[in-house]
Amino acid sequence: MLSSNYIKYFLITSITILTFFVFLFFIYYQDTLENVIIGIEDNSFKQIESLSIKIEKRLEEILNSDIESPLEIDKNTARKAQKVLELFSSQIYPFVYAVAKDNEGKFRYLFDGSFEKQERGEFLQKFDPESGIWDKAYEYKKSQKKVQADVQGVRTTFLYPVVHKNETKFIIAFDFSMKEHRILEDAFSPIRFFLILILVSLLITLILAYAMAFLFYKQKKKTAIDSLTNLPNRYYLSEIAHRIRLNEVSVALLDLDHFKQVNDKYGHLAGDKALKKISSILAQSLRAHDILIRYGGEEFLIFIAHNGDFSVPEKVLRRILEKTREEKIQISKNNFINITISIGLNPHPHQSRSLKAAIEIADKMLYLAKVNGRNRIEIFKDSPEKSKIYHAEDITNMINAGKLIAFFQPIADSKTGKIVKYEALARVMDEGTIHLPIEFLPYIKSTTAYRLMSKVILTKAFDMIKKHKTAISVNFDVENFLDVTIYETIYDVIYERRDLASMLTLELLEDKEIKNMTEILERIEALQKLGVKIAIDDFGAGYSNFEYLLSIRPDFLKIDGSIIRMLNINPHAKEVIKAILQMCINLNIKVIAEFVSDEEKSDELRKMGIDYLQGFFIGKPSPKLIEANEWN
Amino acid sequence: MKKLILILTLLFSTDIFAFQARSKLLTKLLTDILHKEDITIYSNDTKLKLKTIKDCQEAEAFVVNSISEIPTHCQSNKKIIFLTNYKEYKKTKDAIGVLFWQKGRPNLILNEKKIKELSIKLPEEFAPYIE
């Protein structure tokens, strides 16, 4: 089937060709008409020439020897000569006269037999010729003719030089109107009018078609180009997707680290400046045949041509990583910030079944880069054991086959040392291997599989709450709350088990900047009304923001693992934790520290007054509830 | 195509354009004669698109068909008189020149004797018309 683009091109080309042919036909028509007129004219001129020859003979007889100097003839001879010319003038040839050049080169009337007497020039009256044909007739001693427009219409002038002893003595002139022109043109004017009408209509259509094509192209370009960064966008990707040869490129997905914090701290204008700067660095670091696309808010997709050398894309990306690390971005007069990026690279996209699948792998690697501490590249190693790629369909099938299981990681009260609750963590058991969420979660966001997974994990959590009478928390990316079907699934499951809802904590984290916070907050409040407790996950990193603290009243706040990890290394980490703790005391929010990996950290956090501890030191995630702990 | 151009030329060669060209020529001539940009002309020729005045006594130049068309109280004035009729021009010695149409062509004749009498210096371009 022809695409609409091809139809547009076909139409424009057809109109152009049609206009061209109609124009050619118009020229041909005009030429034909002109040839007919020239034929008629030639015939008229031949007739006049034969009349001129007759006049010449008669005048030679009258003038006799006076022909040598016609300006000096006597009036009587002049009158006789004039009588001759009068015989040849008529309504068809109204002006028949003879002029000669005087010694000064001025033309003067000799005899004038013009049909209307008042138009006759007097003997020796100066005559002002309006064109050069008079001199030509004199000089070349040959007849001259000229068709020109005058106030009366189309005037034709025919000049016949009377030559005596190889010298032009005077000129016999005929001025007349060629009415045949008008008659012929009048007869054919409807055809010409029709042709002009078609031509003008076609030209207008053509101009409109080209204008529309230009506007369409401009609009298409506008649609395909991101106005902020001037980079191609997702629409452009959809346009060129079929042209991308996956065996010639590597696919990389880039994301700006902690970009939301830049927006929150410095404002969106500063964020835009940073985005533009990073876009510029990316564009400058790539080669002409690489493709750079602004894939999402702060996500960039790059197709890097490798020409068979698979080390090239990695080198290019490491160069980008270095440049962004070094770049101090000026976001206002006195503020400079340093933005890092995380990169996921799929070096062999041709091994994927589609472009979408290849991008999903790069996305998975990006997710891994973020989980592993950001500001780094994660490269997909195409070993099936290590990097099996799951798709939404695979996950759905596995959930339906009961392969989705829940692990529970204990959370202990730091004061009593007792395990008081658990965090439910999703795992997929496939072919004897347990797969972590990072291996499948990025591909099922906002899909039926995610909805199904949420339902299963929540159900398992409630079953565990009911069985063990213990509090369980379940992790959710709030972005999914914007999806009505996912949200309603979560709501419905909780509503059905609302008698146990108070034992359930929803740990909320943000993976991306959320634009529609109002809607999210309303939905969280609705869940709170069912009795569910709310925890802000990964506070201090990523996108967990203060807006939740202002708009909803969370029950718990979980300090991001990256801060806890730095506790014994970076003295500032302790100060940050203290500050968060103080804030939570003031707001009556319980604080959980995750990634508590050793005794030293555990003791330190307990001393600081952290309410709850979670991490491998407390207990690893397990399919069964760990009731005792080794640390206490 | 030549014919097409001719027809188009004809469309724009109306009487108005012809008389405008004639008026321009005459205005230039009178300007050159009087050595002034703004000249006051008395004329009863409505076809000529000249900037004219009604009071003949204020006029520096007269453009008329014949001397008799100049109001009697202004006839004694030794002003520049330009005629638009050749036969009338032949009858008088007072006109400095004549501009008339014959066989659809403009004809200009300047009176050499009158030019000398009034000590007028004309540009070289008018030389072919002086007799």
Side-chain angles (χ1 to χ4, degrees), chain A residues 139-174:
Chain A
E139 195 181 335
Y140 300 134
K141 302 174 188 74
K142 280 185 180 171
S143 301
Q144 301 291 326
K145 54 197 173 189
K146 189 176 176 91
V147 179
Q148 62 188 327
D150 71 358
V151 289
Q152 271 90 37
V154 179
R155 188 182 67 199
T156 306
T157 301
F158 180 85
L159 305 179
Y160 180 84
V162 175
V163 181
H164 185 74
K165 292 180 184 173
N166 203 30
E167 194 182 336
T168 305
K169 294 299 173 185
F170 59 91
I171 291 169
I172 298 166
F174 279 79

Side-chain angles (χ1 to χ4, degrees), chain A residues 456-506:
Chain A
V456 171
I457 293 296
L458 272 176
T459 306
K460 285 182 189 290
F462 275 122
D463 290 346
M464 209 56 102
I465 290 169
K466 191 175 182 183
K467 188 176 175 187
H468 297 280
K469 306 277 184 275
T470 185
I472 303 274
S473 60
V474 180
N475 218 309
F476 280 104
D477 184 340
V478 285
E479 190 191 358
N480 290 295
F481 281 21
L482 282 174
D483 186 314
V484 180
T485 52
I486 292 175
Y487 171 74
E488 282 179 353
T489 302
I490 294 167
Y491 186 90
D492 289 348
V493 174
I494 295 172
Y495 185 80
E496 273 176 30
R497 312 288 288 269
R498 59 189 179 279
D499 54 321
L500 303 171
S502 61
M503 302 285 277
L504 180 75
T505 303
L506 295 182

